[in-house]
Amino acid sequence: MQNLANLEKNLGYKFKDEQLLIKALTHKSCKKPYNNERLEFLGDAVMDLIVAEYLCKKFRKTDEGDLSKLRAALVNEKSFSNLAKSVNLGDFLFISAAEEHNKGRFKASLLSDAFEAVMGAIYLESGLESCTKIALNLLENEYKSISLDALAKDYKTMLQEITQAKFGLTPEYKLISTSGPDHQKEFKMAVFLDEKKYGEAVGKSKKDAEQQAAKITIDEIKKVKP
Amino acid sequence: MQNLANLEKNLGYKFKDEQLLIKALTHKSCKKPYNNERLEFLGDAVMDLIVAEYLCKKFRKTDEGDLSKLRAALVNEKSFSNLAKSVNLGDFLFISAAEEHNKGRFKASLLSDAFEAVMGAIYLESGLESCTKIALNLLENEYKSISLDALAKDYKTMLQEITQAKFGLTPEYKLISTSGPDHQKEFKMAVFLDEKKYGEAVGKSKKDAEQQAAKITIDEIKKVKP
């Protein structure tokens, strides 16, 4: 068994109740009388609020729609598994032999869940303020620049996540036309899903036009009820 | 214009910054330089955490799945619009003439959004603890008994909400068979959606069997990706 003090050092937080930390690290596969699922439920809500408040304070003019997109980029399984990895959380998980065999210690879902559970545990022990400091420290280390450009505007990635989840499809981008003289050419790109054309947009580079076309497509898809 | 002091009395909270309360009550239809959307974004996360923590503390043995269902029953547009009505929030909303004409003051969506925004505003001004007291006071007044029986186990209502949102269908319940002697009859009921059979279950009353069949169907539907 790993020395939990090392994890506490990585987190920058010393637990008052070590049993609570152990619970947060215990996957249900262990079949113990306790596991980290309830703490994960709580920690999920804690992280949602921490990130929502952080974004509201950082982006004072940004509307609710873009704040939601920013949050979605930060609050998700992949992002939380990265935060978990940044403190080597995987090394400290308690999992069954079968789960060990399945490389559970490296699964994004287990790591993300345990990260939320640890945050839930810190919240229970020390309240929102302590938990916020720790979570933002980890987030800011992981995302050196949390900016609208870096996050909200990567519409291509976001569109791909949406279309794969919803339709099992990867978006394709096709050049529709170019215009303007050589030194200030403009490109019209369109998004295609399964050969059907969705959003299209014009930009000074193909990449810009693709980003805008992806954004338009996201808005279109969101209007359609699942 | 209504006297905002009356709303503060209903909430049991006096705002330090009246402008913040006004912002929380201002619908985007007013086309003012400010509206309540960002506060709603924050308040939504605040309410999620308040309810998650409340349920964790109240139901110490309940697993994460049932806690999620309980939260879903408390944290939704209808529930929040009821809380809004309990403090007559509608009377204090700032909305456009067109929205007034559309009975916007009585719409569940506007009421729920403004309720979240008011909670977000209280959180910003006075922190989580004050906000928790106010929110739980309103919740407990509205839901005299927040119990697993009353909330989580109303699977029929929950299923109907899910199937209407997802498929635009209302579930039907059909008696499949009865068994046992007259004094201890058992009923097998099944859920049908658009003539297709989903979950079925046996119970000592038709109602019990329907609830269990609804629960099974919810679990089945949740496994299918949208």
Side-chain angles (χ1 to χ4, degrees):
Chain A
M1 184 179 139
Q2 296 282 326
N3 184 351
L4 292 181
N6 289 331
L7 175 58
E8 292 179 324
K9 198 154 59 171
N10 298 347
L11 286 166
Y13 179 80
K14 172 102 187 72
F15 274 82
K16 295 165 199 164
D17 176 3
E18 199 177 46
Q19 286 308 310
L20 188 63
L21 173 56
I22 290 172
K23 190 174 181 180
L25 297 169
T26 302
H27 185 247
K28 65 169 184 280
S29 64
C30 292
K31 308 272 182 207
K32 290 267 170 74
Y34 54 87
N35 64 47
N36 64 9
E37 289 193 314
R38 283 170 48 98
L39 285 169
E40 178 211 333
F41 171 75
L42 183 62
D44 175 75
V46 171
M47 286 302 298
D48 246 23
L49 176 55
I50 288 174
V51 174
E53 183 173 9
Y54 172 77
L55 294 174
C56 277
K57 289 184 173 167
K58 189 171 166 89
F59 301 107
R60 295 196 171 267
K61 301 282 176 197
T62 303
D63 72 27
E64 179 274 339
D66 281 337
L67 290 175
S68 291
K69 283 176 200 159
L70 277 164
R71 183 166 60 172
L74 292 172
V75 175
N76 60 61
E77 186 176 285
K78 190 168 178 348
S79 166
F80 285 172
S81 73
N82 287 340
L83 298 183
K85 283 174 196 162
S86 76
V87 292
N88 296 325
L89 198 63
D91 295 349
F92 301 93
L93 292 183
F94 301 103
I95 58 180
S96 69
E99 197 57 69
E100 190 78 72
H101 185 75
N102 282 332
K103 307 243 180 287
R105 206 173 281 287
F106 307 96
K107 280 184 192 162
S109 58
L110 267 76
L111 288 168
S112 167
D113 291 353
F115 176 77
E116 289 179 334
V118 168
M119 289 298 131
I122 295 174
Y123 172 77
L124 276 185
E125 246 195 25
S126 297
L128 187 61
E129 210 175 319
S130 303
C131 201
T132 300
K133 273 186 202 148
I134 293 160
L136 292 185
N137 188 25
L138 295 176
L139 267 171
E140 292 190 330
N141 270 332
E142 186 64 24
Y143 300 93
K144 294 290 179 206
S145 69
I146 295 177
S147 71
L148 288 174
D149 280 345
L151 287 168
K153 289 190 178 163
D154 186 10
Y155 295 114
K156 284 179 67 177
T157 307
M158 202 179 298
L159 175 61
Q160 179 159 330
E161 284 168 2
I162 294 170
T163 58
Q164 282 181 340
K166 261 182 128 97
F167 315 117
L169 292 173
T170 303
E172 287 180 278
Y173 294 85
K174 292 183 188 168
L175 180 66
I176 303 298
S177 61
T178 54
S179 59
D182 267 0
H183 64 283
Q184 56 186 98
K185 245 192 199 1
E186 289 198 318
F187 302 87
K188 183 186 277 187
M189 302 293 301
V191 176
F192 287 79
L193 288 170
D194 204 17
E195 305 297 320
K196 185 175 177 308
K197 193 167 92 171
Y198 282 77
E200 62 177 31
V202 174
K204 287 189 201 309
S205 71
K206 286 183 186 175
K207 208 183 142 199
D208 277 356
E210 286 174 2
Q211 285 289 347
Q212 285 311 305
K215 180 178 191 309
I216 291 164
T217 306
I218 290 168
D219 293 339
E220 277 177 17
I221 290 176
K222 282 202 175 154
K223 274 182 210 141
V224 183
K225 278 261 169 194
Chain B
M1 182 178 139
Q2 296 282 327
N3 184 350
L4 293 181
N6 290 331
L7 175 58
E8 293 179 322
K9 197 154 59 170
N10 298 347
L11 286 166
Y13 178 80
K14 171 102 187 72
F15 274 83
K16 296 163 198 165
D17 175 4
E18 198 177 49
Q19 287 308 310
L20 189 63
L21 174 57
I22 290 172
K23 191 173 179 179
L25 296 170
T26 302
H27 185 248
K28 65 170 185 276
S29 63
C30 291
K31 308 273 181 206
K32 289 267 170 75
Y34 54 86
N35 63 48
N36 63 9
E37 289 193 311
R38 283 170 49 96
L39 286 169
E40 176 212 333
F41 170 75
L42 183 62
D44 175 73
V46 171
M47 287 302 297
D48 247 23
L49 177 56
I50 289 173
V51 173
E53 183 173 8
Y54 172 77
L55 294 173
C56 278
K57 289 184 172 166
K58 189 172 167 87
F59 300 108
R60 296 197 171 265
K61 302 282 174 197
T62 303
D63 71 26
E64 179 273 339
D66 281 339
L67 289 175
S68 291
K69 283 177 199 158
L70 277 163
R71 183 168 59 174
L74 292 172
V75 175
N76 60 60
E77 187 176 286
K78 189 167 180 347
S79 166
F80 285 173
S81 74
N82 287 340
L83 298 183
K85 283 174 196 160
S86 75
V87 293
N88 295 325
L89 198 62
D91 294 349
F92 301 94
L93 292 182
F94 300 103
I95 57 180
S96 68
E99 196 57 68
E100 191 78 75
H101 185 75
N102 283 332
K103 309 245 180 284
R105 205 173 282 287
F106 307 97
K107 281 184 193 162
S109 57
L110 267 76
L111 287 168
S112 167
D113 291 352
F115 177 77
E116 290 179 332
V118 168
M119 290 298 131
I122 294 173
Y123 172 77
L124 275 186
E125 245 194 26
S126 297
L128 187 61
E129 210 176 321
S130 303
C131 200
T132 300
K133 273 187 203 147
I134 293 161
L136 292 185
N137 187 28
L138 296 176
L139 267 171
E140 292 190 329
N141 269 332
E142 186 65 23
Y143 300 93
K144 293 292 180 207
S145 69
I146 295 177
S147 71
L148 288 172
D149 280 345
L151 287 168
K153 290 191 179 163
D154 186 8
Y155 295 113
K156 285 179 67 177
T157 306
M158 203 178 297
L159 176 62
Q160 179 159 332
E161 283 168 4
I162 294 171
T163 59
Q164 283 181 340
K166 260 181 127 96
F167 315 117
L169 291 173
T170 304
E172 288 180 277
Y173 295 84
K174 291 183 188 167
L175 180 67
I176 302 297
S177 61
T178 54
S179 59
D182 267 1
H183 63 285
Q184 56 185 100
K185 247 197 198 359
E186 290 197 317
F187 302 87
K188 184 187 277 187
M189 303 293 301
V191 176
F192 287 78
L193 287 170
D194 204 14
E195 305 297 322
K196 185 174 175 311
K197 194 168 91 171
Y198 283 76
E200 63 177 30
V202 174
K204 287 189 200 310
S205 71
K206 287 184 186 174
K207 208 182 143 200
D208 278 355
E210 286 174 1
Q211 285 289 346
Q212 285 312 306
K215 179 179 191 308
I216 291 164
T217 307
I218 290 168
D219 293 339
E220 276 177 19
I221 291 177
K222 282 201 175 154
K223 276 183 209 140
V224 183
K225 279 262 168 190

